[in-house]
């Protein structure tokens, strides 16, 4: 063909494009753009015409660009037909850029998918699809029907061997190449159809191109079905088809294409199923979330349901670096938590903590929440959406933070990246919390809410933990710095007028509920922790890290909250201090984790966890002595960061 | 004299064009159209927008007809027409028209008849505005 010389030399100049679009405006613009790219353009606004043109002489065109939405014939259908029959690269064009649509195009074999309005820059590159296809074609041809070279015979023998060796053999080698091509282009045509116009392959002896007309293809499919797709061997297909001038190579390459086409169909089906499953899994939660007032921020937050949700980096959380990570960690949908953080003022969010608490702690055998966990599981199942609420609530409320801490702990469990050894993480969060500029109203409202939820297993346990901690300070031997810290915490709490006033009654409630809970959970806790009932039950030595986290968070939160009112600059200062203190805390934590001997010192319920907590408290206490707001901020941030790492 | 008049006219047109770009009635795609016009296709832009107006009138008429009856509004057909209109509008750079099409599409997806009518009214308005301005620019019959 004359085209060979011209286009071969100047390719992509002169590349022959067939443009199909029922929209005359777009067609005109497209034509002009293609002409500007120095392609040779044929246009039609009817798919039927296009097909006829192509069938008439497939060699007339190098590339087809087709709109997706056409009235008389679906663009995808055209795409498939062109790919199957003519093995030309087809580019889809559409005004709809949704992923679904693009996916559909790709799975139907489009080698590219362009969005309207088409830009000339995009059109300048479309020739690559032609080249790519040709190159693969060459490779395939060399592999399969290369009977032109001097190695002709050997190759043929090898090819025959390959082909005769069964379809598997054929698919293996050329299939792979085909697959590559398919990924990029439409189905490949390995038989003699493709002209190596641009190829350097010295296969001068081109086989007459076989046009797989609809009729021919029909026969082919019939033969394949008759033989059974697995048993369909080119030779036998050829025999069944009984078409003159059709070589086995033609059939072989067409068979490969056909196989890939089928595979793609099934892949699409399963893909759609997967997508449906994924989207479906997500949707309910989303809907669920939206159903809650103020949960709007949690859109897309479905930590539990969507496995695909990736943990969101801390940075996502707005303004709550320290806190956010932890929160984020807990639920995959950390982003949401950041949103929720912003909406802390929303009361509804408070509801979440309890629910989330339950769900979060799922995996954590420890903590007083053992039966809570079961309840939480239920809660979780019921309302995954609540999770975000926890996050939102936590920062402003120590109780909530307790929940969060539990969550964190859970998160730690769930996520392999445990920074047990490095307690610094746990502290990281604290400062952020302190940084949270939660209004006291928010805090109190949250506290109030938590108070209300105290009755529920989840909420109650959480708060009770806190209360326990408070209570335990009394019980804890004074030599334990942690105790001191706790005392100070408690003291701090009372110091905070806005917070304290509202919370005291709640605290009482929590205490009550908490203690009850504690007892319930005791049996489940490690025995080592018994002395301090409240803590014992809550802290399960088996989950040192998480428990510690919880406690630390709780304590830290509380301290932080206290400090928030006291010190406006806590955030900044605590952060810095927190950093320095991290190492202290880390060491404590590290020490505590593996060290059961510490247990006796622990206030009791924690066991190894308690140790950690105590150590942490000690550290915090020390810092507190130095600077009041220090420990809180530090711890908080640490906690959070720890959970973040988790 | 002629030259002066011509230049003034050109200035006016340039100003008008600048105004249209500024108002986002037209966007970069229209600029691309202008760039495609050259010696080989001197009236390219005019031809394109003539085709566009012709097609769009039909589409708008169809849309109006489809939304005439609340009960029988075929929203899927509306969607099809809208796709067409959106595609062509974006191809020539009619940004505002396209934006209103999107709004109308959203309303039709929700089967919101009243919303559709409102959007359609807005669409027709934007379309008329664009047409008038482009006629001014290109003296398109």
């Amino acid at each position: 063909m004359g085209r060979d010389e011209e286009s071969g030399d100047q390719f992509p100049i002169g590349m022959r494009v067939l443009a199909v679009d029922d929209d005359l405006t777009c067609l005109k613009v497209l034509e002009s753009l293609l002409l500007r790219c120095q392609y040779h353009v044929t246009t039609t606004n009817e798919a039927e015409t296009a097909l006829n043109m192509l069938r008439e002489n497939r060699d007339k065109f190098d590339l087809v660009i087709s709109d997706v939405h056409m009235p008389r014939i679906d663009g995808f259908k055209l795409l498939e037909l062109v790919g199957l029959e003519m093995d030309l690269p087809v580019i889809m064009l559409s005004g709809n850029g949704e992923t679904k649509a693009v996916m559909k195009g790709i799975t139907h074999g489009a080698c590219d998918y362009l969005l309207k309005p088409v830009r000339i820059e995009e059109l300048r590159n479309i020739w690559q699809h032609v080249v790519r296809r040709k190159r693969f074609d060459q490779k395939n041809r060399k592999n399969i029907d290369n009977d032109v070279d001097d190695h002709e015979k050997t190759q043929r023998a090898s090819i025959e061997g390959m082909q005769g060796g069964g379809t598997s053999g054929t698919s293996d080698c050329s299939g792979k190449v085909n697959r590559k091509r398919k990924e990029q282009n439409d189905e490949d045509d390995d038989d003699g159809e493709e002209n190596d116009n641009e190829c350097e392959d010295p296969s001068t002896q081109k086989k007459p191109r076989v046009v797989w007309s609809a009729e021919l293809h029909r026969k082919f499919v019939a033969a394949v079905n008759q033989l059974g797709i697995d048993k369909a061997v080119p030779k036998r297909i050829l025999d069944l088809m009984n078409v003159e001038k059709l070589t086995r190579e033609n059939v072989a390459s067409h068979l490969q294409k056909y196989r890939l086409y089928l595979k793609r169909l099934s892949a699409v089906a399963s893909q759609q199923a997967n997508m449906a499953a994924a989207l479906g899994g997500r949707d309910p939660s989303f809907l669920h979330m939206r159903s809650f007032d103020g949960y709007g921020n949690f859109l897309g937050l479905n930590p539990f349901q969507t496995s695909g949700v990736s943990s969101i980096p801390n940075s996502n959380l707005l303004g709550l670096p320290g806190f956010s990570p932890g929160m984020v960690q807990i639920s995959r949908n950390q982003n949401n938590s950041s949103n929720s953080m912003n909406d802390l003022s929303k009361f509804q969010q408070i509801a979440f903590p309890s629910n989330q608490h339950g769900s979060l702690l799922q995996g954590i055998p420890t903590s007083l929440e053992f039966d809570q966990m079961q309840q939480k599981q239920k809660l979780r199942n019921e309302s995954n959406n609540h999770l975000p609420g926890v996050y939102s609530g936590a920062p402003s409320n120590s109780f909530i933070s307790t929940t969060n801490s539990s969550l964190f702990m859970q998160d730690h469990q769930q996520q392999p990246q445990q920074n047990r050894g490095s307690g610094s993480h746990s502290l990281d969060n604290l400062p952020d919390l302190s940084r949270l500029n939660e209004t006291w109203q928010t805090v109190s409202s949250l506290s109030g809410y938590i108070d209300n939820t105290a009755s529920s297993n989840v909420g109650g346990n959480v708060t009770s933990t806190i209360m326990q901690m408070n209570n335990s300070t009394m019980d804890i031997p004074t030599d334990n710095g942690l105790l001191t810290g706790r005392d100070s915490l408690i003291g701090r709490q009372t110091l905070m007028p806005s917070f304290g006033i509202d919370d005291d009654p709640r605290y009482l409630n929590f205490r009550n509920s908490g203690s009850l809970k504690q007892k319930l959970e005791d049996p489940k806790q490690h025995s080592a922790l018994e002395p301090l009932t409240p803590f014992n039950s809550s802290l399960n030595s088996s989950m040192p890290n998480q428990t510690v986290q919880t406690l630390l968070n709780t304590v830290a939160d509380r301290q932080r909250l206290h400090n928030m009112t006291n010190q406006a600059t806590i955030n900044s200062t605590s952060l810095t201090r927190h950093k320095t203190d991290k190492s202290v805390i880390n060491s404590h934590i590290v020490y505590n984790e593996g060290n059961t001997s510490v247990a006796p010192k622990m206030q009791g319920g924690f066991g190894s966890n308690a140790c950690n907590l105590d150590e942490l408290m000690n550290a915090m206490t020390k810092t507190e002595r130095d600077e009041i707001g220090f420990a809180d901020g530090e711890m908080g941030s640490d906690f959070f960061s720890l959970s973040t790492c988790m | 004299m002629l030259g002066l008049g011509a230049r003034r006219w050109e200035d006016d047109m340039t100003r008008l064009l600048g105004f249209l770009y500024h108002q986002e009635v037209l966007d970069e795609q229209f600029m691309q159209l202008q760039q495609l016009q050259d010696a080989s296709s001197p009236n390219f832009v005019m031809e394109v927008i003539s085709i566009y107006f012709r097609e769009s009138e039909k589409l708008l008429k169809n849309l109006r007809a489809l939304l005439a009856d609340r009960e029988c509004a075929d929203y899927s057909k509306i969607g099809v027409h809208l796709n067409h209109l959106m595609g062509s509008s974006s191809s020539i750079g009619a940004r505002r028209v396209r934006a209103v099409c999107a709004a109308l599409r959203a309303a039709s997806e929700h089967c919101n008849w009243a919303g559709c009518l409102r959007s359609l009214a807005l669409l027709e308005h934007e379309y008329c505005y664009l047409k008038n301005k482009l006629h001014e620019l290109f003296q398109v019959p």
Side-chain angles (χ1 to χ4, degrees), chain A residues 22-26 28-29 32-33 36 69 95-96 98 116-121, chain B residues 29 32-33 35-38 44 47-48 51-52 55 83-84 87-88 90-92:
Chain A
D22 62 334
D23 184 343
L24 292 173
T25 318
C26 298
K28 179 104 181 122
V29 176
S32 177
L33 288 170
R36 183 54 69 93
H69 302 288
N96 180 3
E98 283 177 16
K116 291 182 187 177
V118 184
R119 294 194 318 269
I120 196 166
E121 299 85 27
Chain B
Q29 184 66 18
Q32 196 159 91
L33 287 192
Q35 286 163 12
L36 284 172
Q37 180 162 303
D38 57 12
F44 174 69
E47 286 166 13
V48 173
I51 298 174
Y52 171 72
E55 295 291 306
N83 269 336
H84 197 140
S88 45
S90 62
S91 293
I92 70 157

Side-chain angles (χ1 to χ4, degrees), chain A residues 17-274:
Chain A
V17 181
L18 175 63
V20 189
D21 192 343
D22 62 334
D23 184 343
L24 292 173
T25 318
C26 298
L27 197 60
K28 179 104 181 122
V29 176
L30 184 62
E31 179 187 37
S32 177
L33 288 170
L34 290 167
L35 285 172
R36 183 54 69 93
C37 295
Q38 294 182 284
Y39 301 143
H40 185 274
V41 187
T42 311
T43 61
T44 174
N45 70 329
E46 286 188 27
E48 283 294 324
T49 316
L51 267 175
N52 291 338
M53 276 197 267
L54 287 167
R55 281 176 181 149
E56 182 188 323
N57 191 352
R58 181 229 176 275
D59 284 338
K60 263 172 77 178
F61 302 103
D62 296 308
L63 181 72
V64 179
I65 300 183
S66 166
D67 184 36
V68 165
H69 302 288
M70 292 194 287
R72 274 179 288 279
I73 185 170
D74 184 23
F76 293 115
K77 196 91 183 93
L78 176 66
L79 163 62
E80 273 181 13
L81 287 172
V82 171
L84 208 53
E85 290 183 26
M86 289 130 226
D87 189 37
L88 277 174
V90 181
I91 295 178
M92 302 303 296
L93 201 58
S94 173
N96 180 3
E98 283 177 16
T99 307
K100 280 188 299 184
V102 178
M103 177 75 78
K104 191 175 177 190
I106 301 301
T107 51
H108 279 77
C111 57
D112 207 348
Y113 196 104
L114 302 179
L115 296 184
K116 291 182 187 177
V118 184
R119 294 194 318 269
I120 196 166
E121 299 85 27
E122 292 172 343
L123 290 177
R124 286 202 197 279
N125 285 331
I126 57 176
W127 57 267
Q128 61 180 289
H129 302 294
V130 178
V131 173
R132 213 178 279 129
R133 183 169 285 239
K134 284 203 159 52
R135 290 193 61 196
F136 277 114
D137 232 19
Q138 289 172 34
K139 279 190 203 163
N140 285 336
R141 188 164 324 168
K142 274 188 189 169
N143 288 341
I144 295 175
D145 11 67
N146 191 345
D147 51 355
V148 187
D149 295 293
D150 355 57
H151 323 289
E152 176 179 340
K153 286 176 191 161
T154 31
Q155 282 177 348
R156 196 189 288 268
S158 59
I159 289 168
E160 312 253 326
M162 268 163 35
Q163 291 179 341
T167 48
S168 59
T170 315
S171 1
D172 282 347
C173 23
S174 38
K176 278 179 195 158
V177 184
N178 282 345
R179 213 163 293 127
K180 276 191 215 164
R181 285 179 54 185
K182 274 203 190 320
E183 283 164 8
Q184 299 155 358
N185 304 326
D186 281 344
E187 294 163 5
D188 292 330
D189 187 356
D190 297 328
D191 58 22
E193 292 188 27
E194 193 85 17
N195 274 340
D196 290 333
N197 293 329
E198 279 80 6
C199 77
E200 308 78 359
D201 185 57
S203 46
T204 52
Q205 193 174 346
K206 296 193 172 72
K207 292 191 179 156
R209 175 161 281 177
V210 173
V211 176
W212 280 88
S213 65
E215 177 63 28
L216 206 56
H217 183 65
R218 202 176 50 74
K219 278 192 183 167
F220 169 82
V221 174
V224 168
N225 291 337
Q226 192 174 335
L227 292 169
I229 186 66
D230 295 329
K231 292 213 181 107
V233 186
K235 178 120 180 73
R236 301 194 53 191
I237 297 173
L238 187 62
D239 294 338
L240 272 176
M241 283 174 73
N242 195 18
V243 171
E244 277 187 9
K245 295 193 186 166
L246 194 67
T247 69
R248 194 196 14 205
E249 286 78 16
N250 299 142
V251 174
S253 53
H254 195 75
L255 178 65
Q256 281 174 22
K257 262 179 32 175
Y258 186 66
R259 280 232 177 77
L260 284 164
Y261 165 72
L262 292 177
K263 194 182 280 187
R264 190 185 55 214
L265 284 184
S266 64
V268 171
S270 58
Q271 213 169 39
Q272 285 172 352
N274 289 341

Side-chain angles (χ1 to χ4, degrees), chain A residues 475-491:
Chain A
D475 308 329
I476 295 172
T478 50
D479 60 1
N480 192 333
L482 185 56
L483 290 174
T484 315
R486 293 199 192 116
D487 288 332
S488 55
L489 273 182
I490 293 178

